[in-house]
Amino acid sequence: MATDAELISHALGRLTFGPRPGEVESLAPLGPAEVIARELAEPEIYFETGDDADLSEGELVAWWVSRMMLPEARLHERMTWFWHGHFTSSLDKCAPSLMWRQHHLLRRHALGNFRDLCHEITLDPAMLLYLDGAGSTDANPNENYARELMELFTLGINNYSEDDVRNTAAALTGWEVDRSDGEVTFDSRDWDDTEREVLGETRVWDVESIVDKVCDHPQCPRWIATKVYRYLVGRDPNERRIDTLAATFAEADLEIMPLVEAIVGHPDFLEQRNLEPIQPVEWLTRMQSIAGAEFDTGAMVWLERMGQVPFFPPNVAGWPSDERWRGPGVTLYRIGRMTSLRDRLASVAPEPDAVFNHIGVYGLSAATALAVTAARAESIGEDLRLSLLWLALSSPEFCTR
Amino acid sequence: MSTDDYTPRHVPPPGDRSTEPSPQEKSRRTFLKYATAALIAGGGGALAYDRLRADSGGAPANSVTSTAATGATSTTAPSSTTSLPVTATSISPPPIVPGDRMMVVIELSGGNDGLSTVIPNDPRLRDLRPTIMPDESGRIEFGADHSLHPALSGVATRGTAVVTGVGSPVPDYSHFEMEARWSRGDMVGDTSSPTGMLGRLCDALGDDNPFTGIAFGGHSAAMLSAGGVTSALQTLKPAWILQENNDFARAMQAGLSAMADESVPLDTTALNEGRHAVHDALEFAALLDQLDAAADTYPSGVLPYELASAATLLSSGLGTRLIHIKMGGFDTHSRQRFYHDGLMADLDASVSAFLDDLARLGIADRTLVATMSEFGRRPAENQGGTDHGWANSMMLWGPINPGLHGEPIRLDRLEDDGNARAMVTTDQYYATLVESWFGVAGSEVLLRPAQRLDGVVAA
């Protein structure tokens, strides 16, 4: 039977970039249900100061990861990270200033309305450049965005036809982006305004009506509910659960918060633990927070080695959640990163008995308990505190969520 | 709502090992099989990892003195070590068996200028490119109608095959788009496959070994696999703490080894995958640590270091079949003559050293080296450089039939935008590597059917 501390740690690990040192202890008296309710009520957080719009690529990555590490970064931050992996764009193809703008768009809608988000991202300059909506004309329509809009962003494969893709691409023509300042313009002369059939309806389509059409499709709430569930719980829901969640999401007019509440308010959110490996961004933000080490552009190198750099998704499908995140290469680079922060970790390591709880791990497996015994047999004094902290940060309990 | 309206993830009951192993368990077992083979071949006695575990009072197995000819890192054996010294002799490769072929893909990132690399003997080039071409007198004869860049003498001597006229049937001139298409193995650019073409090939070759494919120098979208059978590495010493010998390092090593100790009864299955991961990582680190120093016959630089490491990995018996390496700098919009000459010289010296090393290691006859590059460059020069183009030439070394293959690039029929049409698709190039070299059906890994080019690979 899991203790409240275990459950609270699990909930915080899923809903925030924590738990941070001390957090579980301070929240334990509330019980897990109350902790979840409080996380759902946490305010959204905005960082727009206007000073950050002119960052380099590396600075932009460090800027965001640093914000994930702030104590006030909670569910809103976590969901912004989710949408970045859903509505992907990349610094590989878009300037940092445009990715910064897109980031704030995602942040504004992260817990808002999916339809609004879908409308805005469709005409976001970085997205227009990333998926080639910019410069797509009636004479030469580009199908890239039309396809991903249906395949990845709203419906999932097999819920539309190739004709739907072609006709959607035609409807989305006429848009251009000024690469110098990101200004988005529409020229109706380049827009295909002929009547076409999309998802069973024939009319003259434009961006507005296309986005509404895919959002109105019965598959859309199912697709999004499945993806958000997968993200928050760590595995796919079964058909019955998809039906329930999709109905909730549709009845809420695609408001994201009621969907999230339905997912995390269900008992299985706390029951389903340790399902998948922690990903590099989560591991590094938690570890660096524990170490009290700022995330700078140098730290970014380690994310690159582990293969997960914000603003650089591997492809349009975003970052998969699978076994690759505990592959030997990633595991060894975790050890490498801790080595480079050794002095810092040594300065924050608590007393030996407190190490695991300090980083939010409660209830050790037999194997990890034996590992602690083995490490204790080998070291004394200051070395013991550091080696136990190190071991805890490498443990399956910490590296699985 | 009830708590039972979900499908439980398949988790065997505690202690029950009789059920079908999970994919992760299978991969771990396969890995151990390969690791064991490697160590038996190594003949050095105890498994480094076992020593690390049993000999927790001493240092972990250690004392490989350098990782590469570049001398990038140098670890000296701690004086107090009680572990067996690792000799300078290389780990012998396992016996060659059919179907045990390997490949190194070198991505020439930025769009290599194929027309300066494999040069058509076409007088039109003098007009199209008055200032940027290598001197005609130095070019290396390559069949009746082509010449190689003068700097490619090393690989020319060792045997070079060229597949020319390669590109997408629907060209795009964006680096990002074309690199993404090459990565996915999607010549048209109309799929969003989450895996990469080389990753799928690793899935097909893999036998679940996590080291089937290694992206050396960092992650590559081309190497994304569905089965977790690829890993990324930037150095052969990713976790140098495991090689240290001091109080702290010993405690760490003892703790990690205990955590990975699979003889401990399993009290919970949910965390076992994480525990296997620690086990495999330690195993991997120990194996990497045991690898012989690379030959000192390589020039200095990043590409030679990575190729030297690749040779070491391929000859280790670890089970690695495919390695992806990226070489940058090919986006030669200006001062092309200067930059491209240097790139060709670096490539030639590095690959020549690599091919010689493969021969020394006894794996030359089962290791194919192939280049890829997102697109060729435009035939007409522009301000001392060239713009993004279409048809390109790919080079292959190793067990190949030297000479020109594919469809020669036609400078007499340029498209309206001045580019030369590609007559061989990227899919065909991939089909050649997949089918002719590895004997894997193209339908297993390609997104579309494609006709391979016979006779390129000396199968």
Side-chain angles (χ1 to χ4, degrees):
Chain A
M1 192 62 192
T3 62
D4 274 4
E6 271 181 87
L7 298 177
I8 289 169
S9 180
H10 168 75
L12 294 177
R14 281 283 177 191
L15 300 177
T16 75
F17 287 91
R20 307 165 59 80
E23 230 170 30
V24 176
E25 285 98 326
S26 68
L27 293 173
L30 298 176
E34 178 61 20
V35 168
I36 291 171
R38 280 168 69 126
E39 289 302 331
L40 292 173
E42 283 282 347
E44 299 186 1
I45 176 166
Y46 295 90
F47 300 106
E48 281 166 292
T49 63
D51 303 333
D52 301 319
D54 194 25
L55 302 173
S56 71
E57 291 186 354
E59 287 166 346
L60 181 61
V61 174
W63 177 88
W64 192 7
V65 179
S66 300
R67 267 132 197 93
M68 293 173 181
M69 286 169 55
L70 293 174
E72 59 266 41
R74 321 293 301 186
L75 176 64
H76 182 227
E77 199 69 31
R78 193 78 195 205
M79 287 303 291
T80 305
W81 174 232
F82 167 78
W83 291 116
H84 175 47
H86 181 81
F87 286 115
T88 47
S89 296
S90 172
L91 281 171
D92 266 338
K93 201 172 177 181
C94 308
S97 61
L98 296 187
M99 290 304 295
W100 188 85
R101 269 174 68 168
Q102 185 185 76
H103 171 78
H104 290 292
L105 189 165
L106 296 174
R107 190 174 280 281
R108 277 196 302 281
H109 295 287
L111 288 167
N113 185 281
F114 179 78
R115 186 188 301 265
D116 293 346
L117 170 55
C118 201
H119 274 293
E120 276 204 45
I121 199 81
T122 301
L123 292 181
D124 169 66
M127 182 60 84
L128 281 165
L129 292 170
Y130 183 69
L131 290 180
D132 304 311
S136 177
T137 62
D138 55 343
N140 206 357
N142 190 300
E143 294 178 6
N144 209 356
Y145 186 78
R147 184 177 304 279
E148 305 309 1
L149 175 66
M150 291 191 272
E151 179 178 336
L152 295 175
F153 299 162
T154 60
L155 304 180
I157 204 154
N158 297 330
N159 292 297
Y160 54 88
S161 69
E162 284 301 305
D163 283 342
D164 290 330
V165 171
R166 268 190 292 279
N167 291 337
T168 298
L172 297 180
T173 52
W175 296 89
E176 190 50 275
V177 175
D178 184 332
R179 282 159 201 264
S180 64
D181 62 4
E183 189 192 359
V184 176
T185 53
F186 177 68
D187 187 337
S188 61
R189 289 169 299 180
D190 292 330
W191 169 50
D192 186 332
D193 60 354
T194 54
E195 279 200 355
R196 289 171 179 273
E197 183 183 331
V198 172
L199 299 170
E201 182 183 349
T202 303
R203 54 170 284 183
V204 175
W205 297 94
D206 60 8
V207 167
E208 287 284 307
S209 51
I210 284 289
V211 171
D212 280 333
K213 183 69 181 173
V214 293
C215 289
D216 287 337
H217 194 285
Q219 179 62 23
C220 178
R222 295 178 63 82
W223 179 250
I224 299 302
T226 302
K227 258 193 104 165
V228 175
Y229 182 98
R230 182 81 189 69
Y231 178 71
L232 291 172
V233 179
R235 58 170 174 73
D236 289 325
N238 68 10
E239 285 297 314
R240 252 176 73 197
R241 194 72 200 279
I242 296 174
D243 290 343
T244 315
L245 291 172
T248 303
F249 191 32
E251 280 161 24
D253 289 328
L254 305 186
E255 285 290 329
I256 295 160
M257 197 62 186
L259 172 64
V260 170
E261 287 169 350
I263 293 168
V264 305
H266 191 282
D268 78 347
F269 174 70
L270 285 174
E271 285 163 10
Q272 297 300 307
R273 299 188 302 279
N274 300 321
L275 294 178
E276 57 185 355
I278 193 170
Q279 296 187 5
V281 164
E282 297 170 79
W283 183 85
L284 204 68
T285 50
R286 276 184 76 179
M287 193 279 288
Q288 301 242 154
S289 292
I290 289 161
E294 283 185 13
F295 190 92
D296 52 20
T297 48
M300 195 183 88
V301 172
W302 291 93
L303 281 179
E304 195 178 351
R305 288 174 177 165
M306 295 179 203
Q308 188 179 46
V309 184
F311 300 112
F312 285 102
N315 56 44
V316 65
W319 292 274
S321 174
D322 60 22
E323 293 298 315
R324 82 191 56 195
W325 303 122
R326 57 180 155 221
V330 175
T331 302
L332 291 178
Y333 283 124
R334 283 206 293 254
I335 294 172
R337 179 54 178 157
M338 289 190 288
T339 307
S340 69
L341 285 179
R342 186 199 302 204
D343 293 344
R344 174 68 74 163
L345 287 168
S347 71
V348 301
E351 289 308 308
D353 289 340
V355 166
F356 280 85
N357 291 357
H358 180 71
I359 67 162
V361 172
Y362 294 84
L364 297 195
S365 66
T368 304
L370 275 173
V372 170
T373 307
R376 282 185 169 223
E378 289 300 327
S379 58
I380 50 167
E382 296 302 296
D383 277 339
L384 177 60
R385 295 193 300 127
L386 176 56
S387 47
L388 288 183
L389 175 56
W390 193 293
L391 198 57
L393 292 168
S394 309
S395 67
E397 287 85 344
F398 187 76
C399 298
T400 311
R401 63 176 192 190
Chain B
M1 281 184 281
S2 72
T3 59
D4 64 350
D5 63 345
Y6 58 83
T7 311
R9 184 172 182 261
H10 171 72
V11 178
D16 180 5
R17 309 293 274 181
S18 64
T19 50
E20 181 64 17
S22 72
Q24 293 73 41
E25 282 179 301
K26 273 194 284 188
S27 69
R28 180 178 58 85
R29 287 172 194 165
T30 311
F31 169 58
L32 291 176
K33 181 180 79 186
Y34 280 97
T36 306
L39 288 154
I40 289 169
L47 187 81
Y49 163 66
D50 282 341
R51 264 180 280 150
L52 186 152
R53 208 163 65 188
D55 182 27
S56 53
N62 177 324
S63 36
V64 171
T65 49
S66 91
T67 55
T70 56
T73 58
S74 179
T75 318
T76 330
S79 56
S80 66
T81 181
T82 54
S83 62
L84 297 173
V86 176
T87 65
T89 57
S90 77
I91 293 174
S92 323
I96 296 171
V97 293
D100 211 8
R101 295 177 171 189
M102 308 181 290
M103 177 164 74
V104 174
V105 171
I106 304 174
E107 181 177 343
L108 309 180
S109 182
N112 178 38
D113 183 30
L115 289 171
S116 296
T117 307
V118 184
I119 307 165
N121 298 336
D122 186 326
R124 289 177 190 83
L125 268 182
R126 290 181 197 141
D127 300 325
L128 287 163
R129 301 179 155 202
T131 71
I132 63 164
M133 292 301 288
D135 294 337
E136 294 189 17
S137 59
R139 297 179 193 174
I140 301 160
E141 192 178 310
F142 192 71
D145 303 320
H146 290 77
S147 312
L148 293 180
H149 189 285
L152 293 176
S153 57
V155 292
T157 308
R158 288 165 179 81
T160 297
V162 169
V163 178
T164 193
V166 179
S168 164
V170 189
D172 191 287
Y173 304 116
S174 148
H175 291 288
F176 173 85
E177 173 64 19
M178 289 308 295
E179 192 181 337
R181 287 192 201 175
W182 273 92
S183 292
R184 289 196 301 268
D186 166 15
M187 63 181 177
V188 178
D190 64 354
T191 76
S192 52
S193 166
T195 53
M197 159 63 211
L198 299 176
R200 291 193 298 277
L201 176 56
C202 291
D203 282 329
L205 295 170
D207 200 14
D208 291 334
N209 179 350
F211 310 112
T212 301
I214 292 185
F216 210 93
H219 293 259
S220 160
M223 292 288 276
L224 290 174
S225 73
V229 296
T230 61
S231 297
L233 279 181
Q234 290 185 328
T235 153
L236 292 180
K237 303 285 176 204
W240 57 94
I241 188 72
L242 297 175
Q243 278 78 52
E244 282 192 15
N245 180 31
N246 52 50
D247 288 348
F248 167 71
R250 276 193 300 276
M252 262 274 308
Q253 292 148 8
L256 286 173
S257 302
M259 197 149 63
D261 184 350
E262 307 208 297
S263 67
V264 175
L266 305 171
D267 58 343
T268 165
T269 53
L271 295 170
N272 281 342
E273 304 304 348
R275 190 172 155 192
H276 294 331
V278 175
H279 181 276
D280 285 359
L282 289 184
E283 194 89 52
F284 188 43
L287 283 165
L288 291 177
D289 191 46
Q290 236 192 16
L291 295 179
D292 187 20
D296 59 4
T297 49
Y298 288 83
S300 64
V302 175
L303 178 68
Y305 171 77
E306 293 180 351
L307 285 170
S309 303
T312 306
L313 285 166
L314 291 174
S315 61
S316 70
L318 201 56
T320 298
R321 305 287 298 281
L322 204 161
I323 291 177
H324 176 274
I325 288 173
K326 191 182 270 198
M327 177 185 186
F330 287 90
D331 195 17
T332 48
H333 285 280
S334 59
R335 295 191 73 198
Q336 168 160 329
R337 177 79 196 270
F338 172 78
Y339 289 119
H340 196 261
D341 282 0
L343 291 164
M344 289 294 107
D346 287 350
L347 184 67
D348 183 74
S350 306
V351 172
S352 296
F354 182 56
L355 294 172
D356 293 348
D357 198 17
L358 293 176
R360 179 184 69 89
L361 294 164
I363 54 173
D365 56 346
R366 57 190 184 107
T367 308
L368 181 69
V369 185
T371 65
M372 61 189 240
S373 189
E374 60 260 48
F375 41 56
R377 305 195 76 83
R378 198 158 301 168
E381 71 175 63
N382 179 18
Q383 297 184 317
T386 47
D387 295 314
H388 301 173
W390 189 357
N392 204 356
S393 294
M394 305 298 155
M395 291 176 281
L396 299 98
W397 301 288
I400 44 85
N401 291 317
L404 194 81
H405 306 266
E407 294 288 335
I409 297 172
R410 296 284 297 263
L411 296 173
D412 56 335
R413 303 183 183 171
L414 298 181
E415 303 293 305
D416 290 343
D417 65 359
N419 276 317
R421 174 176 288 271
M423 303 297 287
V424 177
T425 69
T426 55
D427 283 1
Q428 286 185 274
Y429 183 60
Y430 274 144
T432 305
L433 304 178
V434 167
E435 295 190 346
S436 302
W437 180 241
F438 284 112
V440 170
S443 57
E444 274 195 63
V445 292
L446 299 176
L447 298 175
R448 289 187 185 77
Q451 184 66 43
R452 69 172 178 267
L453 284 76
D454 287 322
V456 179
V457 169

